[in-house]
Each structure stands twice: as C-alpha cells, then as structure tokens.
Amino acid sequence: MKKTTLLFSFLTLALQFQLLAQNKQELDSLMNTWHQAAAQADAELFFGLMTEEGVYIGTDATERWLRDELKEWSKKAFERSSAWTFTAIERNWHFLSPEVAIGDELLETWMGTCRSTMVLKKVEGQWLIFHYQLSVTVPNERIQEFKTLMESND
C-alpha cells in the first residue's frame, strides 16, 4: 500500500512538473507572438492576445489604458510598418493557479533596457494578457542623476 501511494505521489508530481513546463512554453510563445505583432504592426493579433478588460500601463505616469483605449491611443503607431519593437532578454513565470500566471521580463527597446510585469489568465482554455506594466530601468548608481533630471522637467 505504501509503495502504491508513493508511486502515485511521484507520478502526480512528475505530471505537475510536465504541465508547468508546458504552460511556461505556451506563455513564452504567447509573449513572443505579442511582441512580434507590435513589431509587425499587426493590431488585430496584438489586441487579440489581450483580455477585453486587459490593462496596459506604459512608462509615463499618465499611461494607463484598458485594451480598447490602448487600441485607440496607438492607432497611428499600428498604421506604420512597425508599432514598436520590444525583444525579451529574460523572462520568469510564477503560477498562482492553473488559470492565472504572473511573469516579468527584461526587454531591449528603443528606450534602452526595460522591465515589464504581466498577469495572464486562461479564458475559455486560451492564455491571454490581463495586465501588462512597462517600466524603464535606471541603474541604482544613477538614481540621483535621474531624480535631478526629472525635477528639472517638473
């Protein structure tokens, strides 16, 4: 009996690790596709990978949009050959449940290195972006210089 329970526990754990790895691959693929859609100005694909109530927070303090507000704001960018180009350098995932994942990524962008945080959830069996926040990174040793620059802009 103990051997059967131990074997069952081991198989269950192995299956969970396999599903976790598969989910991480799906999420990486989705985020890569999303960034590629922006790089190719494919608005339909880009916004189609966000939930209807999805939130996008940009680098400016005034930039907080629901998906359809972002679609309107970025309309001219998506009329170009490329809306913007973000390339992931590194990405990490954590699952809050089988239907909710949070992640962060380091990105190469036209602004320099940025970091984003995202929340994805499964909607009718498909992972979609529920929340995305983009931040410009500032090296710790340059914070005072950055603060001075920002104060001069106020």
Side-chain angles (χ1 to χ4, degrees), residues 31 34-35 38 46-47 50-71 73-74 78 84 86 105 107 109-111 114-118 129-135:
M31 293 307 302
W34 193 60
H35 290 311
F46 183 85
F47 294 105
M50 296 177 72
T51 63
E52 186 176 334
E53 71 278 15
V55 173
Y56 187 102
I57 298 176
T59 57
D60 189 284
T62 64
E63 296 178 339
R64 184 193 187 279
W65 300 283
L66 295 175
R67 182 196 67 186
D68 292 344
E69 294 169 336
L70 176 63
K71 188 185 294 187
W73 177 85
S74 63
F78 278 93
W84 54 80
F86 295 169
E105 57 186 1
L107 301 162
T109 78
W110 65 272
M111 298 171 278
C114 289
R115 179 170 298 282
S116 72
T117 305
M118 54 270 190
I129 299 163
F130 178 71
H131 184 97
Y132 189 83
Q133 180 162 351
L134 181 66
S135 304

